[in-house]
Amino acid sequence: MAGTASTAASTFLHSSSSPALKFRVVAQCSVSRARASVMTLPHHTVHLPTFMPVGTQGTMKGLLPQQVKEAGAEIILGNTYHLGTRPGKESMKAFGGLHQLMGWDRALLTDSGGFQMVSLSALSKVTEEGVKFQSPYDGTEILLTPEESIAIQNAIGADIMMQLDDVVDVMEKDYDRFKIATHRTTRWLDRCMEANKNPQRQNLFPIVQGGLHPDLRATSLDQLIARDAPGYAIGGLSGGEAKDQFWRVILQCTGRLPPSKPRYCMGVGFAVDLVVCCALGADMYDCVFPTRTARFGCALIDGGQLNLKNREFAVDFRPIDDTCSCSTCTHYTRAYIHTIVTKYPVACHLLSVHNVAYQMRLMDNIRSSIIEDNFPTFVQDFMAGYYKDRDYPTWLTDALAAVNIHLKKANIHNQEGVLTSAVSNREGNINQETQKSDEGTDQRNSNEEREVIKTKIGAEALEDDGLDESDIIKGNFWDHNSRILKLKQVGYRDAILDDYPDQEKAGQAAGWRAALASSQSKTNLVLTLSQLAGALMALKVKQSLTQDQDKEVRELLKEVERKVKMASQSDSPYLLTFMKQEIGEAFEKEINTSHTEVNMESGLISSTVSDGAFSPVSTNTAAATMTIQNQSLESEANSISVLQNRVQTLYQSCGLDTTQLLTTVFHSSH
Amino acid sequence: MGVLSLNCNMKFAVERISKGGGRLGKLSNLRSQPDVIHATPMTLVATVGGSAPHLTQDVFNLVAKKDAPLCVSAQHYCKHVEILQAYKKGVASFAALQGHSVCVTVQDAAQATPSGYNDKQGISTWTHGGRQVLTPQTYMNVVEVMQPDWYEVLCDADTPPDASKKRLSKSAAMSKSYLTQCLKLHKDSNCLQGAGVLIPLLGGHSYAERVRWSKWVADNAQDGIEAAGYSLLGLHTNGPKVEKIDAKAVCELVETSLGSLSQSLPRQASGAWNPLTVVRLVMAGVDIFDSTFPYLVTERCGALTFLHWLTRDPSRDNLQHQDKRLRGDSEKNKNQDEEETLNEKEKESKSEELESTEGKENQCDEEVNVKSSYEICLKDKRYAEVQEPLVSGCECYTCQNFTIAYIHHLTMVKELLAPVLLSIHNLHHWLGFFSSIRTAVGSDQLVDLQRLLQTSAA
């Protein structure tokens, strides 16, 4: 094989030492970039690769520190933004840091807080000074500077701190915005390093930025590596980008980052991603996914998840996973958890214990296979177990082929598999060998080349996303074919959002207010309402509901209907917004009849407006009326977000995932 | 009413009747724990969905002994009969709490039971899926699959203090019918051999009714109903209101019920009785309680801090000291407030209005309307910086490892760990309280314990 792409066969094991971190590679996979290492931090020695469960507010979602340790976690993550708000920097100092406060004696990592600000607040603004945002708690404007972020992190006292970075939504289209962010992130790193009052005990990790642009990533890498940090993070990913783009960025970064330093891949936590990123040479990961999915009643197992709310588990007296030795699997049956799941917090604790233990065991298995130099076989077996039909998504075969691990696809796709692998193999070489300045172009070329091959063979087979409407209705999110869209949809971002309902609600309401008050709003309230109606109808038709749920659906439908009716009244705040966006093009022709009709059965909306008084010409009048109505707008905005949340809760109570809702209905307000 | 003889293994022996009120007893020979002896007065551990609230079995075992008796309500399992039937090993094992003995009650004492839903057919109970009617047959099916060591017989206990005469007589009539049917089903059931039967003592808040009911029970005992014990019911309809019930009145009702009945059987009184009421009920001769009270305290973000140690233990000195300090703080605050109020009184001479508003503001949280004097409220901002355990000298896992400030933080950010830590502490405190009760009964000092609670609750 032309597999010189990896750092294969290197017998030299890298190590590095800085005041608060000692890093030593103990084994290097002879085929891929995977490595097993040991990272000694002030509070604990961590065995890498590892997964860091997220204990946002100074606790691991209902588990005692002892239980987290028993589950195998050696380092956990705390969120600076939340801890800086409550209990606050000064209290944190008084308590002697988070280790002391929460009774955790192993290692701790804190993020910078910038990410939450951008994602939780609808009204954040990034300036050279820092991130300016509206507090979801009291609406006041707050400025988080690199200095302040480090001051809070110093007070928390984590073993590893993250620099404040300029986070750009990975889906952002503007190249220049990424360019600014890349350079600004470096400038902020310098300010963070300057501000660190405790470099002897607390490490500061820079974050590689640059979005999906290889040239910007290369610049970022160069600049950050020049600062000689104890370790590095790869940021700006896991925000809903295509998997195919995701792995290429990781590959580029691990190829350039010093092999003697730990590499932290932010926001990654799905089993397949963890295995792939380890193969690509990353060492540390974090994600709220394992504890979050636990709260929705899901248990992680090899090959996917079990949704314990499903009736099939009612008389299933086996443990969640009979190969798992966590305290949940040792003592509890699936059937018992089924009877209490999403009803009592104990179920959530049991699943959190198991899910954290599952992640840790997966990382352990990866680690030992690297030490035994058996990692490629491990990957092949793992993937074969995960995709039982061996119908591997292309990004996966490509990503692994880039580091010389080859998955054999099922027969139907054999031909295509070989071809794409060959191409990506070459890509791997290109990534390794060409100068970074050329890399972007080359990669683009080979992408085009691959596109051609794709077209020849037939595109259907390459389609990763097997999730359709009916899957949502049936709640089949976790079967093998539907996983990939899910990976895309449930990025770290959504996970975070969903984890803090209060903040999310506040942000949502702020979004609506902004939308309603702005004359250039992109939000169409009526459309959103009709989507809500559709979501409710779907539930009603396809799902067997309990009495309570049915009642809730009826109530919500009535409420939505009422709101839509309001839109047809001339003094309605809805109408103004509605007019501005919709009338302009689609409805101008039909300004003849005088009401809006909603066909509740189909969840579709047909709207016609007659009164000339609100034609788009009279925008000024509209704006004037708008100001007068600001107060009612406020309450409308709030009531719509309350409606949204109720629909979301309802979906969750039916055991359905709200991912689809999140992307279609719920995020339309942001 | 036919002659019924129930084969019962559960044994109870009264060891000591204290001069100061109350009695010490030993509950033994439970069918799941033939070798374990439980000293009474004791508390059962209240459960929701089979587990101690908020606690997984490993965490639960940090607080309670591995053989601590549980109280599981049929309310939580009437929807899962098929599952338990298929499981075959009973509810304790199903909930991963094998080794613990189980008492089955009809209703969950922590949840207020809506009034007016019982009829000839059966008793209404509320599950996650809505109202569920339990007939003697369906109830006994639930009991059978739960495999308890002892259980309450189905009865109509929907007799709140203001229940009408008609309601009381209806309750009695239906309960008699349920009792007869349940005992017959018990006798015919193979699965229930060896399980103890608690005969309900009813009559609402009417002395006459209670006397009449107990007389009926006593008369039928001569006919051969062999009960394992009595369950004092119809005193309340569950939920947090129970802790506010007047202790004196309840104790008189209990004494009325027990008057004509055998002294040698254990008496159980479930419900969220507050500590002082528990002590008075012990004086009235009740042996078995449950931990609904600490559970409800946890649910409202409270931590039990009341004093219950009569003997001076050096390690407890700290506690009293600390408690005084905390109490002192609040007293100081009050004094300050009063002073301010006084000043303002002079200025504005609108004394009473002001005082009452000041008083309200001084409360930790106005949302919490049911708050007892036995606890502190962790939502209170004054605990934000207190780096001490909930109760200093307390040996529970929570107090050994965490500070009040941390639990306050968890409470404020609504983290799931807050109720976990509070459950551990509150259950530990509650179990310790019962140990103090037994000591006090043993040394004829129950009155002193009562006085201690009265002073600290004042």
Side-chain angles (χ1 to χ4, degrees), chain A residues 295-340:
Chain A
R295 284 204 296 296
F296 297 144
C298 293
L300 301 177
I301 52 161
D302 277 341
Q305 301 195 58
L306 301 178
N307 186 342
L308 287 156
K309 288 174 79 173
N310 286 349
R311 276 176 176 275
E312 61 182 292
F313 300 115
V315 286
D316 187 341
F317 301 116
R318 289 174 296 169
I320 292 168
D321 178 351
D322 47 21
T323 63
C324 178
S325 59
C326 78
S327 68
T328 302
C329 289
T330 314
H331 295 98
Y332 290 89
T333 61
R334 295 172 177 185
Y336 178 68
I337 300 171
H338 171 80
T339 61
I340 58 166

Side-chain angles (χ1 to χ4, degrees), chain A residues 32-258:
Chain A
S32 71
R33 290 187 189 173
R35 69 236 191 108
S37 53
V38 174
M39 173 173 69
T40 306
L41 294 167
H43 286 90
H44 197 70
T45 296
V46 183
H47 298 83
L48 305 179
T50 196
F51 177 81
M52 305 183 282
V54 182
T56 301
Q57 322 215 54
T59 152
M60 185 60 64
K61 294 292 162 213
L63 305 188
L64 298 172
Q66 196 180 316
Q67 290 175 294
V68 182
K69 278 200 223 174
E70 278 165 19
E74 293 185 314
I75 174 167
I76 61 171
L77 193 142
N79 286 115
T80 298
Y81 168 74
H82 293 96
L83 293 165
T85 316
R86 290 182 296 188
K89 184 174 71 180
E90 295 310 318
S91 302
M92 204 45 107
K93 265 187 212 160
F95 298 143
L98 185 57
H99 280 100
Q100 177 78 19
L101 180 66
M102 69 181 286
W104 175 253
D105 56 9
R106 293 189 174 178
L108 196 61
L109 181 146
T110 42
D111 65 358
S112 67
F115 181 78
Q116 268 86 358
M117 282 166 201
V118 177
S119 61
L120 290 178
S121 172
L123 305 166
S124 71
K125 213 188 274 170
V126 182
T127 64
E128 187 57 29
E129 216 183 341
V131 185
K132 209 180 255 177
F133 70 106
Q134 226 177 20
S135 161
Y137 296 104
D138 53 11
T140 54
E141 195 160 87
I142 298 173
L143 175 72
L144 183 78
T145 60
E147 290 76 15
E148 179 61 14
S149 169
I150 295 301
I152 302 171
Q153 296 190 68
N154 275 153
I156 296 170
D159 299 78
I160 299 174
M161 305 186 289
M162 300 309 298
Q163 76 155 115
L164 184 69
D165 55 344
D166 184 356
V167 184
V168 185
D169 187 332
V170 70
M171 306 308 270
E172 168 73 50
K173 297 274 188 296
D174 185 3
Y175 174 86
D176 288 340
R177 176 69 189 88
F178 280 107
K179 194 169 175 185
I180 294 169
T182 305
H183 290 277
R184 184 177 282 149
T185 297
T186 309
R187 289 192 295 273
W188 282 2
L189 171 62
D190 291 338
R191 286 167 61 187
C192 286
M193 289 168 71
E194 183 79 12
N196 184 3
K197 292 216 172 62
N198 194 12
Q200 297 303 310
R201 295 274 296 167
Q202 291 186 272
N203 298 287
L204 177 63
F205 279 23
I207 303 173
V208 178
Q209 287 292 349
L212 303 170
H213 307 284
D215 57 328
L216 294 179
R217 286 278 169 186
T219 309
S220 184
L221 283 162
D222 277 350
Q223 292 179 348
L224 302 183
I225 291 165
R227 268 76 179 171
D228 191 28
Y232 294 89
I234 304 166
L237 294 171
S238 295
E241 72 282 357
K243 283 306 203 192
D244 213 35
Q245 299 171 304
F246 166 81
W247 72 261
R248 281 167 215 278
V249 175
I250 305 290
L251 185 77
Q252 184 191 356
C253 293
T254 56
R256 180 75 181 85
L257 286 168

Side-chain angles (χ1 to χ4, degrees), chain B residues 160-173:
Chain B
D162 56 352
S164 65
K165 266 198 159 178
K166 198 177 154 200
R167 176 85 273 271
L168 289 175
S169 65
K170 224 176 178 184
S171 150

Side-chain angles (χ1 to χ4, degrees), chain B residues 381-449:
Chain B
K381 282 199 187 94
R382 84 174 76 147
Y383 299 120
E385 307 281 333
V386 181
Q387 294 184 61
E388 285 170 35
L390 291 167
V391 170
S392 75
C394 175
E395 281 162 8
C396 81
Y397 183 86
T398 299
C399 290
Q400 293 288 308
N401 293 284
F402 304 97
T403 61
I404 295 181
Y406 181 56
I407 303 169
H408 168 77
H409 162 68
L410 295 176
T411 307
M412 296 316 284
V413 298
K414 297 186 183 129
E415 275 285 353
L416 290 172
L417 189 61
V420 171
L421 296 181
L422 289 173
S423 292
I424 294 173
H425 171 78
N426 289 340
L427 191 53
H428 175 91
H429 201 87
W430 192 248
L431 292 166
F433 171 51
F434 275 84
S435 154
S436 290
I437 290 177
R438 289 190 293 272
T439 313
V441 175
S443 54
D444 301 329
Q445 282 180 300
L446 204 52
V447 180
D448 298 332
L449 181 55

